[in-house]
Amino acid sequence: MNRILSYWNDLSNKKRALWFVAAGMICLAGCLALLLFTESIFSTVLLYFSLGFNIIGLYILMWVKDRRNENDKK
């Protein structure tokens, strides 16, 4: 567990955001598969997880971009 936490702390913000977006895409794919092949309520839960992960990831990416643009103006 300590290796995972140290790996996460060593990542840049952009790579963290990409991990969130990737997790969101995996959850979205799982949600679509469950919707197509079953009538599981778990697909709705995966949809909410995917939306949350994607929103967090995109927010971090936009934050990094805005911060980089502010530093370029100085």
Side-chain angles (χ1 to χ4, degrees), residues 12-74:
S12 67
N13 285 331
K14 187 174 182 178
K15 288 184 181 177
R16 286 182 192 178
L18 293 176
W19 271 106
F20 274 112
V21 171
M25 291 297 144
I26 290 170
C27 286
L28 186 61
C31 167
L32 291 174
L34 283 174
L35 279 173
L36 291 175
F37 299 115
T38 65
E39 295 179 4
S40 174
I41 191 69
F42 192 64
S43 63
T44 306
V45 174
L46 275 178
L47 178 66
Y48 291 136
F49 275 119
S50 72
L51 289 174
F53 285 140
N54 284 323
I55 288 170
I56 290 169
L58 292 175
Y59 178 76
I60 292 172
L61 283 174
M62 294 303 291
W63 176 69
V64 167
K65 181 181 175 189
D66 288 343
R67 203 173 83 188
R68 185 176 56 217
N69 288 341
E70 289 175 4
N71 290 339
D72 289 344
K73 292 177 185 175
K74 291 182 180 179

